[in-house]
Amino acid sequence: MLEVAELVKDFGGVRAINKLSFTVGENELLGIIGPNGSGKTTTINLISGLFKPTNGRITFRGKRIDGLPSYEIARRGIGRTFQVTQVFHRMSVLENMMVPALAVPHKGEEKDQKKKALRILGFLKIDHLRNEFARNLSGGQQKLLELGRILMLDPDVIMLDEPFSGVHPKLKMNIHEYIKEMHAEGRTFIIISHDLQSIFNLSQRLIVLNEGTKICDGVPQDVKDDDRVVEAYLGD
Amino acid sequence: MDFFVAQALNGLIIGLLYALIAIGLSLIFSVLKLVNFAHGECCMMGAFVSYYFSTLFGINPLIAVFLSMVVVFLLGVAMQYFFLRPLYTGAVERKDEYAILITFGLGIFFQNLAMSLFGPWTKKSQDFLSGVTSIGFLTVDNNRLVVSFVAIAIVLALLLIINKTFVGKALRAVSQDRDAAAIVGINSHRINMLAFGVGVALAGGAGALIGPIFLISPMMGILPGIKSFVIIVLGGMGSIKGAIIGSLLLGEIESLGSIYLLDPTRGLAYKNAFGVLLLAIVLLVKPTGLFGERHVRME
Amino acid sequence: MKKNVIGAGIAILIGVAVPLVFRSYWLHVAIIALYYALLASSWTMLAGFSGQFSFATMALGGIGAYTSALLVINVQLPMWLALICGALAATVVGLLIGVLVLRMRGPYLALFTIAFSELVRITLNAEYQLTRGDMGLTVPHLYTTVSKTPYYYTMLGLLVGSLLVMWTVLRSRYGLFFRAIREQEEAAAVMGVNVVRYKIMAFVISSFFAGLAGSFFAHYIGTLTPNSMMEIPRMGLLIAMSVIGGIESLAGAVAGAVLVEFLQEYLRALEMWRFVIFGLALVLILRFSQNGLIYPIYQRFAARRVEPRTVADAEA
């Protein structure tokens, strides 16, 4: 459903992404790994429209989305989180949740949206914090809020940038469960993580990036055994 | 042609004064990562301090320039300690917002303070050196010559300090990576204080040098302040080389533009608008300036 | 919610009663206070809520003032139409600035708007054939009566109406988007918020009310000079008003403006020193209580963690 073809992104003279191509199928759970600076976050930024590609195409459900503004891409059903959690600090938890609900036109009645927000907060077990300022939440709670906020968009594709970093081990297990549940509902996932154990565990398929190019693409077991991957991680 | 050369020379001298102010602003930006919206007012304070040193105590006006730089340096250190330090200790939320409002507020405070202490009237400082010097067909006011030489000397001394001494190295280290500098044992609070003090002292020195050429008043800092913003945006935020080139460029544009572009009566009034217009254009076309890097947010 | 309405009601009642107590001079002060209250709340909406720290509010007010005045003087436009044109002129200029500063963040936006303000001031001074520059432009008064009472009620009406509009906007989904953009522009964008549209919207609405305040002021005060209207220290005073009130509250901006304006008159014996005090108050409040003086007090009494300010907070 999501197709990235011959994607190129230059920053000044530096080529961050070099002719990257991959596809993501309906309801797939795709992991992207790679060493620091290999272009993982850049890829997500390109798909979500925060960066404009230098070259190449991104297609979602058969329509080009590269070059579209971020809000339009979000409205078409691609949601994402950030590596450094980005909640709206001086707004309440519920207000955070209502931003995507009200930003996307024809989402339905405001009242229903609010009920939905409370239901999602309940699912993530942070509904007791709904009137708290987001900046007063702990780091883990903020991660959950960010996840919940995406669900308000009701996206088909959810891209998570380092969902396990800096998270308490117990919460990490919870996030695993949430992802699995949401995946079972039919959503497609793209997950970036340094936490190799988690990502090998979760993903159905893995893409390995190095220096802006794809060096490996396959089921986790094959990727684990691939020489190029070992070299990329351990080399130099 | 003669007139053209005379105006070009004028532009050069003005440009040198702009350079002092703008380098100060640039130095502050590169180390503290903030724009000092009270910069023009520090320039104004320098002008008044030097004026009173020479008129009340009879100190030689040239020496008064350096004394006023010391006073403004101390003022800057105090400003940094009481109002800007919290930005780096995590005591302030919404850092960008705070940095803008607090420096702007300090500027307004200084303007009002100067109005109260010194009165709203314009004053003229003592000459550095009276008379004129003739070079060929050119006749130059001696004050302007002295100002040019002093300004060049201060800039050269500063470049020497930044490039050749340990302090300069520490300044550059903090400007590049505050955390890494802290790891190698550089006290970044002290460096902030130093950079801010030196930065505003440069503006103060420029103010003191302006005194004998133009008139001084509590509102004199607003336009040089804005122009130094223009210059560092033009030259790239935090680039000292860019600040120098930008200053000379703006000095020339103002001097030559006001005679060639518009009818003379309005030309004089619009002279100050050139810089502002230039700022608008540069900000729109290339907000990172001609030589600068990307601007980093504080948070 | 209920408390807010009661509070606003009491404030309006006090406002209506003012001319019964205050006579000529102090009534004049009250009118000026309300004028600043409108400017300060328009700034608060732009800076406090949408996070765009513009220094152009006074200049936009000045554009409104001069547009309206010049239209009445030179084109003999009816007064009410000129007032609207003044506000619209500021709106159009505000729209242009809003578009131009889209890509600018924090200090760049501040720089640009300071520069813009000076550009307007310089131009108005330079075009003295039209504006009479620092000599002062004599502007026809709104009413033929010498009494200040009608002006007072007009200004009060304008302020209450404007606040109602701004309050409605800020309580609606748009207010929610403004604040989301202020907090995290990119996060708002990937949550489906059309960042460009709402940033410009905040600029446009704020500029309209600044222009409206300016146009009214012109036809009340009767004499305009570019310097007294929009010099940078004026903008400083305006920001002091908003900051003292609390940067994230319209009511705070109004309270701050009224407080500062009345103090300013009350302390006249101190001459320029009173502005030194305001300057000092501004930096000290910023330093020690970033949310202002008035708003935190109000919040303590309201004793709630988060105020029900937007659609999102009402009970589901």
Side-chain angles (χ1 to χ4, degrees):
Chain A
M1 67 196 303
L2 183 70
E3 189 184 346
V4 172
E6 299 281 310
L7 200 61
V8 176
K9 177 67 188 173
D10 294 336
F11 291 110
V14 184
R15 180 148 292 193
I17 298 290
N18 192 7
K19 296 207 167 165
L20 179 65
S21 304
F22 63 88
T23 55
V24 189
E26 190 89 40
N27 196 19
E28 194 167 15
L29 211 162
L30 173 74
I32 300 182
I33 59 170
N36 280 332
S38 58
K40 305 183 297 282
T41 297
T42 307
T43 307
I44 284 199
N45 284 342
L46 286 164
I47 296 173
S48 60
L50 290 181
F51 294 163
K52 303 268 168 280
T54 311
N55 227 325
R57 287 184 317 280
I58 304 170
T59 347
F60 179 58
R61 295 198 181 287
K63 291 199 177 110
R64 289 279 291 264
I65 57 164
D66 48 293
L68 287 180
S70 288
Y71 72 87
E72 186 56 45
I73 292 171
R75 289 174 187 187
R76 291 188 185 193
I78 301 181
R80 67 164 291 180
T81 62
F82 290 86
Q83 191 165 8
V84 178
T85 319
Q86 305 283 19
V87 295
F88 305 126
H89 280 250
R90 276 182 291 162
M91 290 166 69
S92 75
V93 167
L94 195 53
E95 282 179 326
N96 266 272
M97 298 289 284
M98 289 306 279
V99 169
L102 297 175
V104 180
H106 320 301
K107 264 275 172 194
E109 287 276 317
E110 204 173 289
K111 223 175 203 168
D112 300 334
Q113 289 296 315
K114 206 164 296 166
K115 279 187 193 138
K116 182 174 157 196
L118 289 173
R119 202 173 60 237
I120 293 172
L121 289 175
F123 165 67
L124 298 170
K125 300 191 182 64
I126 49 172
D127 51 338
H128 59 290
L129 299 167
R130 61 176 175 270
N131 284 328
E132 193 71 58
F133 270 130
R135 66 159 170 223
N136 296 341
L137 268 53
S138 71
Q141 289 167 338
Q142 291 193 8
K143 277 234 164 325
L144 291 176
L145 172 57
E146 207 185 16
L147 200 62
R149 207 172 55 182
I150 289 196
L151 291 180
M152 289 303 289
L153 269 180
D154 219 346
D156 300 325
V157 178
I158 298 180
M159 303 191 286
L160 303 177
D161 196 347
E162 299 289 352
F164 312 113
S165 76
V167 168
H168 185 275
K170 184 160 171 287
L171 184 59
K172 194 199 279 185
M173 287 324 294
N174 289 344
I175 294 181
H176 271 232
E177 290 311 311
Y178 297 144
I179 292 175
K180 279 180 189 156
E181 266 179 69
M182 289 185 273
H183 181 238
E185 285 169 10
R187 294 185 210 276
T188 309
F189 274 87
I190 300 176
I191 302 175
I192 293 179
S193 184
H194 270 114
D195 185 339
L196 293 183
Q197 200 193 346
S198 292
I199 204 150
F200 273 100
N201 235 321
L202 270 172
S203 323
Q204 300 169 328
R205 190 180 128 213
L206 269 176
I207 287 178
V208 188
L209 295 186
N210 191 29
E211 292 172 358
T213 46
K214 188 169 80 172
I215 56 171
C216 188
D217 185 344
V219 294
Q221 200 46 51
D222 293 351
V223 169
K224 218 176 226 170
D225 301 333
D226 196 294
D227 293 340
R228 286 166 303 180
V229 177
V230 177
E231 196 188 332
Y233 268 92
L234 301 178
D236 56 51
Chain B
M1 185 61 206
D2 294 2
F3 187 51
F4 178 86
V5 176
Q7 275 302 89
L9 188 67
N10 252 337
L12 179 69
I13 295 167
I14 306 284
L16 285 169
L17 284 171
Y18 288 163
L20 275 188
I21 309 176
I23 291 173
L25 193 61
S26 192
L27 180 68
I28 292 170
F29 182 83
S30 67
V31 175
L32 285 91
K33 307 287 178 240
L34 60 84
V35 177
N36 174 23
F37 286 96
H39 207 63
E41 281 58 50
C42 294
C43 171
M44 177 269 293
M45 291 303 256
F48 274 100
V49 170
S50 143
Y51 170 82
Y52 282 107
F53 269 133
S54 58
T55 52
L56 286 186
F57 306 116
I59 295 172
N60 177 308
L62 209 51
I63 296 172
V65 169
F66 292 98
L67 288 177
S68 77
M69 285 179 79
V70 173
V71 172
V72 177
F73 172 82
L74 294 174
L75 182 73
V77 167
M79 281 165 79
Q80 204 281 333
Y81 185 80
F82 288 112
F83 293 106
L84 302 179
R85 213 175 115 101
L87 280 168
Y88 308 93
T89 56
V92 183
E93 293 180 63
R94 290 122 71 192
K95 292 190 164 76
D96 271 340
E97 166 191 324
Y98 177 79
I100 294 170
L101 290 183
I102 198 81
T103 55
F104 183 78
L106 285 167
I108 297 291
F109 172 66
F110 288 141
Q111 278 168 9
N112 293 327
L113 193 66
M115 281 285 222
S116 304
L117 287 176
F118 314 134
W121 309 280
T122 52
K123 295 180 168 60
K124 188 166 186 316
S125 301
Q126 283 180 19
D127 286 338
F128 294 122
L129 196 60
S130 55
V132 293
T133 301
S134 294
I135 316 160
F137 59 84
L138 280 174
T139 308
V140 191
D141 176 13
N142 280 342
N143 277 321
R144 293 188 181 223
L145 284 182
V146 173
V147 165
S148 315
F149 288 125
V150 175
I152 292 173
I154 294 175
V155 172
L156 288 180
L158 184 80
L159 287 179
L160 209 65
I161 291 172
I162 289 181
N163 290 319
K164 300 284 179 211
T165 66
F166 176 74
V167 175
K169 239 182 224 167
L171 281 171
R172 277 179 289 149
V174 174
S175 82
Q176 273 156 23
D177 191 335
R178 179 168 297 273
D179 297 330
I183 291 167
V184 296
I186 295 171
N187 181 340
S188 70
H189 286 306
R190 215 170 279 167
I191 293 296
N192 280 345
M193 216 180 265
L194 185 73
F196 198 81
V198 171
V200 296
L202 289 171
L209 288 173
I210 287 170
I213 307 183
F214 302 105
L215 299 171
I216 68 174
S217 76
M219 295 297 144
M220 67 178 274
I222 297 177
L223 281 173
I226 293 177
K227 285 173 190 170
S228 56
F229 302 149
V230 176
I231 290 160
I232 68 164
V233 171
L234 193 68
M237 294 265 204
S239 154
I240 289 186
K241 181 187 78 183
I244 296 173
I245 297 173
S247 303
L248 299 177
L249 208 62
L250 184 65
E252 292 301 340
I253 291 175
E254 283 185 2
S255 278
L256 300 177
S258 58
I259 39 173
Y260 284 96
L261 288 184
L262 294 154
D263 73 280
T265 47
R266 281 183 195 168
L268 215 58
Y270 278 122
K271 190 183 80 176
N272 291 319
F274 287 146
V276 173
L277 216 57
L278 198 63
L279 174 71
I281 295 168
V282 174
L283 277 176
L284 292 175
V285 178
K286 195 168 185 298
T288 51
L290 304 176
F291 314 99
E293 308 127 60
R294 246 186 118 70
H295 171 53
V296 260
R297 272 171 73 113
M298 290 202 73
E299 2 187 31
Chain C
M1 174 69 201
K2 218 172 186 178
K3 269 187 200 164
N4 285 345
V5 173
I6 294 170
I10 292 172
I12 292 174
L13 277 181
I14 294 174
V16 169
V18 160
L20 304 176
V21 187
F22 289 156
R23 300 273 172 238
S24 59
Y25 180 69
W26 284 101
L27 196 56
H28 164 74
V29 176
I31 296 170
I32 300 298
L34 296 186
Y35 157 70
Y36 276 118
L38 182 49
L39 288 170
S41 46
S42 86
W43 186 79
T44 294
M45 172 172 173
L46 183 60
F49 283 88
S50 91
Q52 303 184 81
F53 282 80
S54 162
F55 289 84
T57 305
M58 290 307 307
L60 289 165
I63 287 173
Y66 272 93
T67 306
S68 179
L70 291 173
L71 283 175
V72 173
I73 295 168
N74 297 329
V75 201
Q76 281 82 43
L77 218 60
M79 198 75 76
W80 62 271
L81 195 58
L83 275 171
I84 296 172
C85 288
L88 289 180
T91 313
V92 171
V93 176
L95 171 71
L96 289 178
I97 302 178
V99 172
L100 292 181
V101 300
L102 268 180
R103 284 187 307 155
M104 294 178 200
R105 286 189 171 174
Y108 286 96
L109 192 148
L111 281 177
F112 183 85
T113 48
I114 288 181
F116 168 79
S117 301
E118 279 297 291
L119 197 62
V120 173
R121 193 180 65 82
I122 291 169
T123 310
L124 287 174
N125 270 325
E127 297 298 330
Y128 51 88
Q129 283 132 330
L130 189 63
T131 64
R132 311 216 14 97
D134 234 10
M135 309 264 294
L137 181 69
T138 308
V139 186
H141 287 280
L142 188 57
Y143 301 119
T144 44
T145 163
V146 283
S147 163
K148 300 212 181 296
T149 314
Y151 288 102
Y152 176 81
Y153 282 119
T154 309
M155 188 61 232
L156 185 67
L158 283 181
L159 177 65
V160 172
S162 308
L163 284 174
L164 206 60
V165 173
M166 285 191 261
W167 184 74
T168 310
V169 169
L170 290 176
R171 260 189 76 90
S172 74
R173 63 180 67 196
Y174 303 133
L176 197 67
F177 301 155
F178 289 171
R179 288 159 64 216
I181 292 168
R182 172 194 71 195
E183 294 297 310
Q184 256 307 326
E185 203 173 307
E186 292 186 338
V190 302
M191 286 298 127
V193 177
N194 187 339
V195 172
V196 168
R197 177 194 289 174
Y198 294 111
K199 278 177 99 168
I200 294 176
M201 184 192 274
F203 238 108
V204 165
I205 298 174
S206 162
S207 306
F208 174 82
F209 289 116
L212 188 65
S215 333
F216 170 81
F217 178 77
H219 298 288
Y220 164 65
I221 205 80
T223 317
L224 288 179
T225 62
N227 292 357
S228 69
M229 184 96 202
M230 56 181 93
E231 243 180 358
I232 297 291
R234 282 277 145 200
M235 192 63 217
L237 193 65
L238 187 72
I239 291 178
M241 291 167 171
S242 307
V243 167
I244 288 171
I247 205 165
E248 250 194 278
S249 149
L250 291 180
V254 173
V258 171
L259 181 75
V260 169
E261 183 56 29
F262 270 89
L263 270 181
Q264 195 210 138
E265 288 302 326
Y266 188 70
L267 300 175
R268 240 174 209 285
L270 295 177
E271 296 178 358
M272 279 309 292
W273 284 102
R274 61 192 199 273
F275 295 107
V276 178
I277 297 173
F278 295 138
L280 195 62
L282 171 62
V283 290
L284 289 178
I285 289 170
L286 279 171
R287 171 69 184 81
F288 295 106
S289 175
Q290 226 180 331
N291 294 322
L293 273 191
I294 298 170
Y295 188 60
I297 296 173
Y298 164 76
Q299 259 190 327
R300 181 156 301 173
F301 283 111
R304 274 198 54 161
R305 284 207 173 98
V306 178
E307 254 207 285
R309 256 189 303 198
T310 58
V311 280
D313 275 323
E315 289 308 313

